[in-house]
Amino acid sequence: MAVDYTTHDGVAVITLNNPPVNGLGLSTRAGIVEGIERAQNDPAVKAIVLTGAGKAFSGGADITEFNTPKATQEPTLHTVIKTVEGSAKPVIAAIHSVAMGGGLELALGAHYRIAAPGAQIALPEVKLGILPGAGGTQRLPRAIGLEAALNMIVSGAPVMSEKLAHPGLAHPGLADSGLFDEVVEGDLAEAALAFARKVGAKAGPHPKVRDRKIEHPNAAGFIQFARNSVAAVAKNFPGPLKCIDAVEAGVQNGFDKGLAFERDCFIALVQTPESHALRHAFFGERAASKIPDVPSDTPVRDIKQVAVIGAGTMGGGIAMNFINAGIPVTLLETKQEALDRGVGTIRKNYEATVKKGKLKPEALEQRMALITPTLSYDDLKNADLIVEAVFEELGVKEQVFKRLDEVAKPGAILASNTSTLDVDKIAAFTKRPQDVVGMHFFSPANVMKLLEVVRGKDTAKDVLATVMKLAKKIKKTAVVSGVCDGFIGNRMIEQYIRQALFMLEEGALPAQVDKAIEKFGFAMGPFRMSDLAGNDIGWAIRKRRYQEHPDMHYSKIADRLCETGRFGQKTGGGWYDYKAGDRTAYPSKVVDEMITSFSKEANAERRKISDEEIVERLVFALVNEGAKILEEGIASKASDIDMVYLTGYGFPLYRGGPMLYADTVGLYNVERAIRRYASRPNGDAWQLAPSIAELAAKGRGFNG
Ligand code: 3HC
Ligand code: NAI
C-alpha cells in the first residue's frame, strides 16, 4: 500500500508510504485522492494531515514513470493537487526531511504547511532538464515572493525549512517568507494533529496559495534581469529559461493561464534529449554504487583513520578529500623535504579557498590539524585504509606494498592510486590480496568527482562495499572497473587520442580538431588538454605501448612534437604557442608546418576533414572501446562508462555520456560509420566491437 489512512480524534492522517522517498507514482497519487475523498465523507473528520513515512515527505514525481503511460494516467499530479486544494476540510501538509519537486508542489496545494527544521525544500526539476510541472512555477512565487521563488526554481537548490517560515511565527529572526505556518522543534506528528484541530475548528473557506498575489515593485524588470543572467549560463539546457517563461506567464496572465503554460512547457521539456541525458546521469550516478554480485547489505569495514603514502601531486589532493570529510590522515613520505612540500601545498590550497571566502580561517587550522606527517611506517599501524600514491613504477610499488603488508593492521584496506599498473600484480606483493583494491583518483584529486575503484581478482566484496560507501562520504562518484590497461577511462581515451593524431596526419590541424569537439560540447579538445597535462606524459605512455604492442599502429606525430621539447603550457609551447602568464592557446605556425611536413614524409595525402568526421571519429572511438569494455566485463553497465566520462573527462552532460549518445545516434548508424572509417587510411585502428553490430541488428542500444 503506497498510502496509509488513519484517523485520530477528528483528524484524518494521510501518510505517503512509498519507499524509498515517497515518489508520487500512480498508486501513491491514487491513494492520496482516495484518502481525501474518504475524509470528506467522514463527518467525524474536521481536518486532514498529509505527511510522509520514512526518510522523506516526498522526493517528488516518480521519475521512472516519465515518458510512460503511467505518468499521464489519472489521477495525475495536477488532479491530486486540485483535489487537495479543493477539499472543503482544511489540509495540512506536515513536512520533514525532504519535500522536493512534486512533493513541494503537493504541499503548496494544501491550505496550511508545517515543517520540522532542517527539512530540505526544493524544486530541483531543472536539474533533470524539466521545470516544475505541477504548479510549482505558479504557487511558489505566490508563497514566498517572486525573487526567492525564481532563485529556487532556476537553481533547483534546496533551502532549509526554517528559512521559509511565516514572518513572526516560529523561529523569529530566521523567518523571511511565507511557505510554512509553523516550524516545529518537537514531535511533528503531534504538532500536526494539534494544528489540524485548531484550524479544523475554524469555519472555511481555508486559504489557498493560488489566491495570493505576487507582489513586486518591478516584476518585469526583475524577470528580464533573471533571463539575461540565466541565458549566459544555461547555454545547452533549455530548462532554466523555460522556468522563467513559466513564472512570467503567471505574473502577466494570472494563475490559470500560467498553469496551462507551465504544463505545455513540461510536456515539451520532458521529451528533450537534454532531459533524457540528465535523468540518465541521475540514475547512472546511483546505479554506479551498485555492484551486481555485491549485495547492498554487505557489511562494511569501519574507516576512522586513513594513511596516504606519497605527498606529491596526487597524494596531497587525496589526503584533502578525507580531511574535508573529517577523517584524520597520516601522510608518509621518504624525505622530510618532500613531506614539508606536500603539507605546504595542502595548506596553500586551503588558504586559496579561504581567500575565496569558501572556507572560514579557523576551519583551515582544524583541517590542517587532522594531518599527521610522518617518515615512519610505524605510524601507519592504526590506519583502517592506506592509499598509496608514489611514483608510477612497479618496483617502487613493490617496496611500498611489501612494507605495508608488514605494518598494516589485519583488515586494513590497502589501496593503490596507480593509473596504469596491474592491480593484481600489486596485490600479489602482499599476503593479503583480498584487502587490496585500486582507488584511481583524477587530478586535481581534491576537485575531480570521479573515482575509479579497481577491483582485483581477489579483492574482497566487503572491501569494495566499504570503498564505495566511503566514496560517497568524500563526495566522489565511484565507478567500479575491472583490471585492464588504463581501466575504463584512460583505456577509452587512448583510442580517442589515437584518432586525433591520425587526423593530424590526414589533413586536420590541432585548432580545427579542438574546435570541432569543443563545439560538440567537450570542455577541452584533445590538443589543448594535452598541452595542459604535459605532452611528455603521453609520450612516456606511448613509449611503453610501442614495446608492449609492437604490432599496434600509432601515429608518431606527437613524438615528433615532443622531440622538439614542446611539452605544453609548462614549456611555453606545445601543440599551441603560449605567452607568459597567459593560458590562451594560440595556433602555432611552427607546429602547423611540422604537421604538414610530417604528412609529406609519411606519404599521407592531406585532405579537408569535416567537423562532422572529427566528432564521429573521436566520439565513436570512445564508444567502440566502451563496447569492448562492456563485452569483457571491465564495466558492468553502460551507464557506468557514461558516469566515468561525465565526471572525469568533460564529456558534455547534456549528451549523457558516450554510450547514451551512441544510443541517441542509433547503433546502426554508429556501426556504419565505424565500418566506413575502417575502410580508409589508418582504418586498421577500427576493430568494430561485435556487440555494436549485435545490438544494432536487434534494433537495441547499450541502455536497452
Ligand atoms: N523518483 C523516482 N525515484 C527516486 C526519486 C524520484 N523522484 N528520488 C529518489 N529516487 C530513488 C533513487 O533513484 C534511489 O533509488 P535506488 O535506491 O534504487 O538507487 C532512491 O530513491 C534513493 O535516492 P538517493 O540515493 O538519492 O537518496 P538520498 O537520501 O541520498 O536523497 C533525495 C534523497 C534528496 C530525495 C534525492 O533522491 C533526490 O534528490 N531525488 C530527486 C528529487 C527530484 O528531482 N525531484 C523532482 C522530481 S521531478 C518532479 O517532481 C516533476 C514535477 O514537477 C511534476
Ligand atoms: P608525484 O611525483 O607528484 O608524487 C609522488 C610522490 O611519492 C613524491 O612526493 C615522492 O617523493 C613520493 N614517493 C616516491 N616513492 C616513495 C616511497 N617509496 N614512499 C613514500 N613516498 C614516496 O606523482 P603523482 O602525479 O602524485 O602520482 C602518484 C601516483 O598517482 C602514480 O601512481 C600515478 O600514476 C598516479 N596518478 C597520477 C595522476 C596525475 O594526474 N598525476 C592521476 C591519477 C593517478
Side-chain angles (χ1 to χ4, degrees), residues 20-21 55 59 61-63 102 105 124-125 128 132-133 282-283 286 290:
V21 298
K55 66 174 191 176
D62 184 340
I63 310 166
E105 292 173 302
E125 284 86 344
L128 301 172
F282 176 85
F283 287 116
R286 283 150 184 85
K290 298 184 180 78

Side-chain angles (χ1 to χ4, degrees), residues 310 312-314 333-334 389-392 397 400 417 419 440-441 443:
T313 311
M314 294 306 287
E333 265 286 349
T334 44
V390 302
F391 299 138
E392 186 73 342
K397 307 278 188 201
V400 170
N417 182 47
S419 41
H440 184 215
F441 288 85
S443 182

Side-chain angles (χ1 to χ4, degrees), residues 524 526-535 537 567-570 575 578 583:
M524 220 184 252
F527 297 108
R528 282 212 297 142
M529 178 56 99
S530 191
D531 274 358
L532 178 68
N535 294 318
I537 294 178
F567 291 162
Q569 289 190 16
K570 62 184 172 191
W575 292 107
Y578 297 91
R583 285 170 178 270

Side-chain angles (χ1 to χ4, degrees), residues 575-608:
W575 292 107
Y576 296 91
D577 290 338
Y578 297 91
K579 295 177 187 164
D582 177 2
R583 285 170 178 270
T584 316
Y586 297 95
S588 165
K589 225 173 143 215
V590 182
V591 173
D592 293 354
E593 274 166 14
M594 187 272 295
I595 291 170
T596 318
S597 63
F598 187 94
S599 302
K600 230 181 246 160
E601 286 166 38
N603 279 330
E605 201 175 315
R606 291 184 70 77
R607 64 185 169 90
K608 182 171 170 18

Side-chain angles (χ1 to χ4, degrees), residues 668-685:
Y668 170 78
N669 296 315
V670 174
E671 179 190 347
R672 279 202 321 170
I674 292 179
R675 288 195 191 280
R676 195 167 61 242
Y677 295 126
S679 69
R680 294 192 185 166
N682 300 317
D684 55 331

Side-chain angles (χ1 to χ4, degrees), residues 78 81-82 85 133-135 137-139 142 208-212 214 246-264:
H78 273 273
I81 294 170
K82 217 171 160 186
E85 199 169 49
T137 64
Q138 305 305 306
R139 288 192 182 87
R142 285 171 168 79
K208 293 178 185 168
V209 172
R210 58 173 289 150
D211 296 335
R212 292 194 205 169
I214 299 176
V247 170
E248 183 182 45
V251 170
Q252 288 181 347
N253 308 321
F255 184 86
D256 287 323
K257 285 199 175 135
L259 197 66
F261 183 80
E262 174 199 90
R263 200 186 165 103
D264 290 346

Side-chain angles (χ1 to χ4, degrees), residues 279-353:
R279 281 179 274 138
H280 175 71
F282 176 85
F283 287 116
E285 167 131 35
R286 283 150 184 85
S289 62
K290 298 184 180 78
I291 312 164
D293 63 334
V294 179
S296 58
D297 57 356
T298 303
V300 293
R301 302 185 190 181
D302 220 6
I303 306 292
K304 290 211 180 90
Q305 171 79 47
V306 170
V308 175
I309 317 292
T313 311
M314 294 306 287
I318 292 169
M320 286 174 75
N321 286 302
F322 297 108
I323 299 165
N324 294 347
I327 304 172
V329 174
T330 306
L331 192 54
L332 183 139
E333 265 286 349
T334 44
K335 295 205 176 74
Q336 189 64 42
E337 197 193 333
L339 194 54
D340 293 344
R341 200 172 41 236
V343 174
T345 305
I346 295 177
R347 178 176 282 279
K348 266 193 217 130
N349 276 333
Y350 281 131
E351 280 169 357
T353 319

